[in-house]
Amino acid sequence: MREILPVAAAWVRTGRPFAIATVVGVSGSAPRPVGSSMVVSDAGAFGNVSGGCVEAAVYERCLHAVVTGAVSVESYGYSDGDALAAGLTCGGTVDVLVRPVSPHSAAAAEIALLAERDAAGHPARFRLSTAGPTCGIGTVETVDVPGRAADADEIVVEVGAPPRLILVGAVEFAVALARLGGALGHRVVVVDPRDVFANPARFPGADVVVDWPDRYLAATSLDDRTAICVLSHDPRLDVPALRVALASPADYVGAMGSRTTHDDRLHRLREAGVAEADLGRLRSPIGLDLGGSSAAETALSIIAEIVADRRGGSGARLSSLAGPIHAATREPAVVRRVASSVPASAVACASVPSPTTRP
């Protein structure tokens, strides 16, 4: 849902009527998780709910909702009679809720607020009813207040707190990785004590911090949605930063270097008192074996390993594996399914210095 918020908020500001389609239920092999959304108006369509399988049918339903003001939920799946026209040929089923957003409505105000909180990085919950008389009604909640127990038929989407990607060392690999990490929705932070390299102009869209990495990491609240990539190739930066990172809840810690560098780094980390259990968390040499060599290809291998770790993927070729492509893995951190399944049939609803010293 975060992907469509800027467009939807812009339409709210200009008073343009539109509709939002949101995945509210998934079963089997489906390409998009619960919470995935698409917005449609006379200006076009943005976002997606299935990766292309049913977008045309959902687009038409959205246009109908704009005209009629009707809220509806419909299932799309391979077993449907019109599967070839609008179904999921991958074999799964998705339940899609379509709701209109008219100018100056409560729904428009809710979208504007959600987009504002997301853009400002203020965590918020969006609770969307998927059945009954409140079907299609959403509410925005702050996450600093405990939420009420979820009803049987609703989804909860969290925005305003994207996963973080912290890059230690403002090297050329970091430039490519910052760009790719940002494209995947991460809040990217680059930290390096050398201000000549830690130049914000090199890292558009990222937060650039001129400081010793270990000091920055120790003063930052790290959580299990934080990936830390140590790219600096300098033990004066690497070892202290890794000592802090490996003791933190960060869900991914990787370090760049050859196998010789890795062995030397492990020796230094043990001398620094890092426990063997923490050393076992270290992804080094960093990244998956893609055979690439350029900065961009290396960045791709690193971000691929982060995704594989977070989603429980093997990193193997899909063509060499059996079974469903979308295997049961940990759900995305930004979306939690908290409802029972929506009825399978359609349901109509009511409305170059060297860091030799440090301060």
Side-chain angles (χ1 to χ4, degrees):
M1 183 173 286
R2 296 184 65 246
E3 301 167 354
I4 57 92
L5 286 177
V7 173
W11 288 348
V12 168
R13 289 193 297 270
T14 59
R16 185 187 300 274
F18 60 95
I20 301 180
T22 301
V23 176
V24 296
V26 171
S27 63
S29 180
R32 297 287 286 157
V34 168
S36 301
S37 298
M38 180 171 74
V39 288
V40 174
S41 76
D42 57 7
F46 296 85
N48 63 84
V49 293
S50 74
C53 304
V54 303
E55 263 66 17
V58 173
Y59 174 79
E60 294 297 332
R61 293 193 64 83
C62 285
L63 292 180
H64 180 74
V66 171
V67 174
T68 64
V71 179
S72 64
V73 179
E74 183 156 357
S75 291
Y76 299 91
Y78 183 69
S79 60
D80 293 345
D82 58 347
L84 293 179
L88 290 168
T89 55
C90 54
T93 300
V94 292
D95 303 314
V96 180
L97 187 153
V98 174
R99 56 196 175 103
V101 180
S102 57
H104 314 299
S105 64
E110 146 238 307
I111 289 296
L113 176 59
L114 200 62
E116 178 183 347
R117 294 193 66 85
D118 187 59
H122 297 154
R125 299 185 196 93
F126 178 62
R127 194 180 295 269
L128 178 63
S129 175
T130 62
T134 61
C135 181
I137 295 178
T139 56
V140 179
E141 306 170 345
T142 58
V143 299
D144 52 354
V145 178
R148 61 170 173 79
D151 292 335
D153 293 301
E154 64 182 9
I155 65 168
V156 175
V157 181
E158 294 183 2
V159 303
R164 279 183 300 172
L165 176 61
I166 299 177
L167 309 180
V168 173
V171 298
E172 197 61 26
F173 292 107
V175 174
L177 188 52
R179 185 166 54 246
L180 188 54
L184 267 64
H186 291 79
R187 176 194 167 199
V188 180
V189 180
V190 181
V191 56
D192 195 305
R194 303 163 296 185
D195 56 2
V196 69
F197 296 125
N199 182 347
R202 297 179 66 210
F203 300 96
D207 298 326
V208 179
V209 178
V210 180
D211 198 357
W212 288 85
D214 61 311
R215 183 163 60 190
Y216 168 78
L217 292 174
T220 301
S221 178
L222 304 175
D223 57 27
D224 61 1
R225 300 177 68 238
T226 301
I228 302 172
C229 300
V230 177
L231 312 173
S232 45
H233 279 297
D234 188 329
R236 291 166 296 183
L237 302 181
D238 295 3
V239 173
L242 286 170
R243 182 177 56 81
V244 177
L246 290 171
S248 77
D251 68 341
Y252 177 92
V253 179
M256 179 172 283
S258 66
R259 298 195 185 280
T260 300
T261 299
H262 169 69
D263 292 339
D264 176 69
R265 185 182 287 132
L266 288 180
H267 175 72
R268 292 173 183 268
L269 288 169
R270 290 188 177 102
E271 286 188 332
V274 178
E276 290 298 320
D278 289 336
L279 290 177
R281 299 180 56 214
L282 179 61
R283 298 291 187 258
S284 176
I286 198 170
L288 298 182
D289 178 20
L290 302 184
S293 59
S294 69
E297 291 169 338
T298 302
L300 178 62
S301 77
I302 295 171
I303 206 73
E305 183 174 51
I306 293 173
V307 172
D309 271 16
R310 285 180 171 166
R311 305 302 191 195
S314 67
R317 296 175 187 269
L318 289 173
S319 60
S320 68
L321 301 176
I325 292 175
H326 302 282
T329 60
R330 190 178 76 178
E331 283 193 315
V334 296
V335 178
R336 300 195 308 275
R337 179 67 168 132
V338 296
S340 61
S341 60
V342 177
S345 59
V347 179
C349 305
S351 51
V352 195
S354 175
T356 55
T357 60
R358 57 188 292 171

